[in-house]
Amino acid sequence: MCGTGTDWLDERTIHDALDGVKSPDRGQIDEIIAKSLELKGLSFDDVALLCQTNTDDLLAPVFAAAKRIKEAIYGRRIVLFAPLYISNLCANECLYCAFRRSNGQLVRRALSMGEIRDETLAILDQGHKRVLMVAGESYPGGDFSYVLDAIRAIYETRNRIGDSIRRVNVNVAPLTLEQFRELKDAGIGTYQLFQETYHRETYARVHCAGKKTDYDWRLTGMDRAMRAGIDDVGIGALFGLADWRFDLLGLMMHIRHLEKEFGVGCHTISVPRIEPAVGSEMAAAPPNAVSDRDFRKIVAILRLAVPYTGLIMSTRETAAMRDATLELGVSQISAGSCTDPGGYRDKRDEAAAQFQLGDHRSLAEVIKDLGERGYIPSFCTACYRTGRTGHDFMELAKPGAIKSKCGPNALSTYLEYLINYRPAGLDAQGRNAIRSELICMSTRDQRAAKSLLERVEQGQRDVFC
């Protein structure tokens, strides 16, 4: 299962694995957990076995191992970002999405460059430094340059204290090789694309019109991105369309394909569940709804299976579920989010949004809650700007050295946020958290962190190691 097509996605192998594996016993689970704690990942068969684990006594050690692995690699830091929707125009007919082209209930909007700058200012004024730029799969005039111009507008925007977005990650339709090269030249961080479902029959059933009906074009999108030089990519599935176990194993095949073809897999995996969306009956009643218990299991299994991959949790989920998955391996979360174009400036408009939010907390409220749970908020974007992506990132991550970069950088960006934006009631909590985290660091990391913190206190900004 290799090559440049889609033959690596073998549905028969997935079905055979799910049909042939019965509920594991404690000895099998202990063996898989022991393997996962070596931080080298799990095999396809290991993941298939974990998918069939359904009793609390067997799930408890899996969940505990996921938490342990996350903290071993990433520590207690949680990376924060905001989505920035620039358009909800779309040429596709995806039954689960409010953006689908025939949805007459959706208020359509494509932001001008001035409006994109206004949205960026609103996000900056929350304190964010990283955005995920999102667009429906159609652009004003059908011109891809709209995306490139939007990226430029975001990077060029400065708020009242001179802050700017330090990294723009992008979630747009799969592109041609040349368009991917243009996207790389625009200075993006991660290119993100979800297959939605790896189950071909389900994919055809829920994608009824538009270019997105081409399963293979979408599935090979990451191959083109990486051939164009984008070595930091994020994949995901929309859980609830097909059997979640099938899509989880599909994700594993996708990861292994990228590793075999390019020597490095994805940098992030997102795990969205279908949520209600304006004008979509399917979104209100998903064909294969995922229970909260199974959703937590998905997150934990991914953390064991791909320990060095960032796991992203969006504000589709409730605050309670997001908090729960932090304990199971999630390392990045959105906060203070809007999923409608113009929503940050004009306030949320669910009639223009892609889906309903489950977590309506502001960035400051999320940070407060993170602190109370012992986490360190991070606004760090250093890896993108120092070239620590792709192979270079993994060379640091696999021996555990990335924590020596991520830990100090998280503290310096957190202090910068506290000083610049002075969120009510957070200064004392934040500074106490920074002091506590310093105590837990190695001597070398503590020295690096203190140096960065001193520079921030002296007025320097955007310092990192």
Side-chain angles (χ1 to χ4, degrees):
M1 299 191 302
C2 60
T4 57
T6 60
D7 55 330
W8 51 266
L9 198 289
D10 187 345
E11 290 199 7
R12 182 74 270 154
T13 297
I14 297 177
H15 284 301
D16 288 347
L18 294 176
D19 292 341
V21 174
K22 297 182 179 179
S23 298
D25 57 35
R26 184 55 183 260
Q28 291 172 302
I29 292 298
D30 287 345
E31 184 177 340
I32 292 174
I33 289 174
K35 185 190 298 186
S36 73
L37 293 175
E38 295 175 2
L39 306 183
K40 295 179 181 178
L42 297 177
S43 70
F44 179 88
D45 290 338
D46 291 332
V47 173
L49 198 62
L50 289 176
C51 285
Q52 308 289 53
T53 306
N54 294 310
T55 61
D56 290 342
D57 63 315
L58 293 183
L59 284 175
V62 172
F63 290 170
K67 179 179 181 180
R68 183 174 169 186
I69 290 169
K70 188 269 176 183
E71 293 184 5
I73 295 171
Y74 292 103
R76 298 288 290 175
R77 72 178 182 90
I78 300 294
V79 173
L80 297 164
F81 70 94
L84 200 175
Y85 280 71
I86 61 172
S87 167
N88 60 14
L89 307 183
C90 197
N92 297 316
E93 189 67 23
C94 308
L95 298 183
Y96 52 84
C97 183
F99 287 4
R100 62 190 177 87
R101 71 185 189 190
S102 68
N103 185 7
Q105 298 182 46
L106 187 77
V107 177
R108 301 289 175 177
R109 187 174 184 185
L111 302 182
S112 68
M113 293 305 119
E115 289 171 328
I116 289 171
R117 291 186 180 92
D118 287 343
E119 286 290 274
T120 304
L121 282 172
I123 291 171
L124 283 168
D125 286 345
Q126 288 188 49
H128 278 294
K129 298 293 183 292
R130 177 192 306 222
V131 299
L132 173 65
M133 194 191 81
V134 186
E137 298 197 6
S138 180
Y139 313 118
D143 190 349
F144 175 66
S145 64
Y146 175 74
V147 170
L148 303 176
D149 291 342
I151 295 169
R152 188 178 306 111
I154 295 168
Y155 275 134
E156 290 175 351
T157 301
R158 301 286 186 277
N159 71 357
R160 66 190 187 283
I161 61 173
D163 267 354
S164 62
I165 294 298
R166 295 171 185 169
R167 191 53 49 185
V168 179
N169 298 334
V170 173
N171 184 322
V172 296
L175 307 170
T176 65
L177 189 64
E178 183 54 39
Q179 287 172 327
F180 274 124
R181 290 191 178 113
E182 292 180 288
L183 200 61
K184 177 177 173 57
D185 290 343
I188 68 162
T190 301
Y191 172 68
Q192 188 184 84
L193 179 69
F194 304 157
Q195 185 63 22
E196 314 297 12
T197 177
Y198 289 90
H199 191 260
R200 207 177 267 269
E201 182 182 341
T202 300
Y203 187 96
R205 187 167 61 250
V206 301
H207 299 104
C208 303
K211 195 167 186 176
K212 199 170 177 178
T213 58
D214 191 337
Y215 177 99
D216 292 336
W217 175 255
R218 195 168 188 89
L219 191 59
T220 55
M222 286 307 182
D223 293 69
R224 294 191 299 279
M226 296 188 84
R227 288 195 181 91
I230 299 174
D231 62 359
D232 203 276
V233 298
I235 64 175
L238 182 57
F239 289 100
L241 293 176
D243 182 339
W244 69 264
R245 301 171 304 162
F246 185 99
D247 279 328
L248 186 56
L249 291 175
L251 277 170
M252 294 305 301
M253 282 188 170
H254 202 168
I255 293 164
R256 300 314 179 210
H257 162 70
L258 295 177
E259 290 174 340
K260 184 170 185 177
E261 194 73 23
F262 302 100
V264 64
C266 57
H267 185 67
T268 61
I269 299 174
S270 297
V271 288
R273 280 193 292 186
I274 297 178
E275 296 295 338
V278 171
S280 170
E281 293 182 7
M282 179 175 287
N288 285 280
V290 179
S291 69
D292 287 353
R293 186 194 202 198
D294 283 341
F295 189 60
R296 292 194 297 271
K297 187 160 60 172
I298 290 168
V299 175
I301 292 172
L302 283 170
R303 177 49 67 212
L304 269 62
V306 280
Y308 302 105
T309 300
L311 296 184
I312 299 176
M313 184 63 59
S314 79
T315 44
R316 286 174 179 263
E317 298 296 331
T318 65
M321 178 54 73
R322 277 160 43 101
D323 288 346
T325 56
L326 289 176
E327 297 292 318
L328 301 174
V330 165
S331 56
Q332 299 185 26
I333 61 173
S334 53
S337 303
C338 292
T339 65
D340 55 299
Y344 291 102
R345 277 296 185 191
D346 301 338
K347 299 185 179 179
R348 294 183 179 93
D349 181 3
E350 290 193 350
Q354 188 178 28
F355 53 84
Q356 292 180 17
L357 297 180
D359 186 351
H360 294 276
R361 292 175 296 175
S362 68
L363 173 61
E365 289 170 332
V366 169
I367 288 177
K368 178 177 181 294
D369 291 345
L370 286 174
E372 290 175 349
R373 298 174 68 86
Y375 294 102
I376 298 294
S378 175
F379 298 91
C380 178
T381 57
C383 282
Y384 296 116
R385 292 181 292 156
T386 58
R388 292 195 295 262
T389 57
H391 294 280
D392 291 336
F393 175 83
M394 288 303 172
E395 285 180 0
L396 285 173
K398 290 185 176 180
I402 197 65
K403 281 176 66 175
S404 293
K405 305 293 185 182
C406 297
N409 291 341
L411 295 186
S412 69
T413 59
Y414 188 19
L415 180 61
E416 185 179 335
Y417 166 77
L418 294 173
I419 293 173
N420 283 355
Y421 296 96
R422 303 184 183 280
L426 278 185
D427 188 69
Q429 181 198 62
R431 289 177 181 272
N432 286 335
I434 290 171
R435 283 192 290 269
S436 297
E437 188 69 12
L438 282 171
I439 294 171
C440 299
M441 286 180 165
S442 68
T443 302
R444 184 182 65 176
D445 293 354
Q446 188 180 98
R447 185 163 53 246
K450 285 182 176 179
S451 174
L452 294 180
L453 291 168
E454 287 173 5
R455 291 166 64 187
V456 172
E457 290 282 16
Q458 292 166 2
Q460 294 185 53
R461 296 293 179 263
D462 196 15
V463 297
F464 50 83
C465 60

